[in-house]
Amino acid sequence: MANTGPVDSGKATDRFGDGSVDAWVEETQTFAANMARVAEMSQEIWRRFLSTQLADEATLRSDPLNTLPAFTEFAQSALQNPERIAEATMAYWQAQGMIWQQMTNRMLGIENGAAPVVDASRDKRFRHREWSENALFDYLRQSYLVTADYLEGAATTMGDLDARDRRKIAFLTRNFVEAMSPSNFFALNPEVLERTMEEKGENLVRGLNMMLEDLDRGKGRLIIRQTDMEAFAVGEDMAVTPGEVIWQNDILQLIQYSPTTEKVHQRPLLVMPPWINKYYVLDLNEQKSMMRWLVAQGYTVFMISWVNPDERHARHTWESYMSEGASAAIDKVLEETGQKSLNLAAYCIGGTLAGVLAAYLCRIGDKRVNSATFFTAQLDFEDAGDLQVFVDDQTIDLVDEQMEKGYLPAEAMAQAFNMLRASDLIWGYVVSNYLLGKDPFPFDLLYWNADSTAMPARVHHFYLDTFYNQNALAKEELELLGQPIRLSDITVDCYHVATKEDHIAPAASVYRGARLMTNAETRFVLAGSGHIAGVVNPPEAEKYQHWVNEDLSPSTVGEWLQKAEERPGSWWPDWSAWLAKRSGRKVNARTAGAKLGTIEPAPGAYVKVRFDKR
């Protein structure tokens, strides 16, 4: 390709600031040259995009997410209620008429002080002053928001659909609505137009250069950067709690953190993170690290760091993750500490595995796990959050095709998670990066979010089909390692934490799973915020709140919450008080790897493998 760098004359950017025709001509030429480069790069981007799409059989399918049956049922059901359709449509056109009248009055200079039809003051997509001060842009903004409310309202209320189809309709409608926001389009976004004039198109040149780089990074697929991926280094800026890798196999590395207290609780704690993401979300930095905090409370803490798999790991199954993974790690923790049992804590899909493992161990009389803690972990998948829209027989077949090499590529899961919050994680960066030409701001949590992991094909297929699609664990239809898996077999004490705004593991789903442990002493806590911020909430931050209620007899989390006690701040101290009672007496602090030896310092090699560097 020809040089795609922006052209900058080095002259004043005010078109008439020096009163010189020559300056105006030179700036006009600069603008024209930059726009020519924009056209050239746009053609290259379109060429690469088309070549990638045409090479991908999955994207050529007319309905890859199997939406047609749900939308057909939705349309048929909605048409059976013409009164509701008519009522909603009439209200929609009345609102549009009011918006048009307001714009007309403003353009005629008639200011009657009428409030906007739609309050968009908190919508960060429309913060630029022109969205409210300019009559035309204000019309675009309000008209779009009224249309969005109409479409999303219809998707969530009209017709009589089952919960899964309703969620799919609502999810896809929301994604369509967010994609159509006028803020996403060059000619309709006043901030982009203003920036383009000020910079003579240099912002677009920078932005499209960035898009080309993102296409290269995704090997033809657009992997939108959300932060500066070179601004952090795992083991230097994050995942910095001191420790040692004391054992490993081809599934995991086992980290033991170094003590910071003279005495520690006798019984060790093993943390099992999800393998959908890397473990260091629990050890982002000194201020946000749960691991550092736990060590400071006097616990001997071990962490599983799952491998970032490739075709070499294609043989692995859910059972091997149980036996060669979690169970083997338990053995090594007990061997290292000389104890007979440990406390287990697990996050998200790691919690699903922990629940299955605890049920299996209790059934066969294995007492190596003394207690189990579940962070936003689903065990009952009847109504399992927004990810459920990606799961039915046809979409699982599509995922299987993506895993032909024996693993699901990391970018596939990253794209699915980004779609759950498309306005923030996709379109916001399209505008900021590619239209405004801004460099992404360095942010540790977004670095972690973009540091994606692949998944072994057989493990992932089993997870989607057995749990999300069949809900086999909650229905007591699951058998593994030759044993029926029943949550009612769990007899060890259990602690569950859900988060109030979780769209991945909804609090209602986590609560139902906790109640299935009918023979365990179970504590359930509801934390403020969402799937990440609600879990990673150090007490020192003094953020959010949590609710406690000893009574799990209410059938729904809403009923449970009505009688719950609200407490300010983090739930970590509540958990630590619960955990301390199950961790034994205090003993001298243990040196990491004193018995098994050490392989390398934490965070180890497995967590540093990045898919975009392969």
Side-chain angles (χ1 to χ4, degrees), residues 525-562:
V525 173
L526 182 65
S529 196
H531 193 71
I532 302 299
V535 172
V536 184
N537 182 25
E540 294 78 11
E542 298 182 347
K543 294 175 65 176
Y544 313 126
Q545 70 280 83
H546 62 284
W547 292 264
V548 297
N549 181 356
E550 305 289 345
D551 182 13
L552 266 65
S553 63
S555 59
T556 68
V557 72
E559 295 171 353
W560 174 92
L561 185 59
Q562 289 176 5

Side-chain angles (χ1 to χ4, degrees), residues 498-518:
T499 55
K500 199 172 185 181
E501 300 169 17
D502 199 331
H503 59 284
I504 295 173
S509 179
V510 175
Y511 181 74
R512 285 196 307 272
R515 294 185 74 244
L516 292 175
M517 298 180 178
T518 52

Side-chain angles (χ1 to χ4, degrees), residues 9-29:
S9 66
K11 302 288 185 179
T13 57
D14 182 352
R15 285 178 295 168
F16 303 100
D18 59 1
S20 166
V21 173
D22 290 341
W24 178 82
V25 169
E26 187 166 355
E27 291 191 2
T28 301
Q29 290 174 339

Side-chain angles (χ1 to χ4, degrees), residues 56 189 218 232 256 337 399 441 459-460 513 540 583 614:
D56 187 348
N189 188 322
F232 301 97
Q256 181 180 1
T337 59
V399 172
F441 184 77
V459 177
H460 195 53
E540 294 78 11
S583 298
R614 288 177 170 174

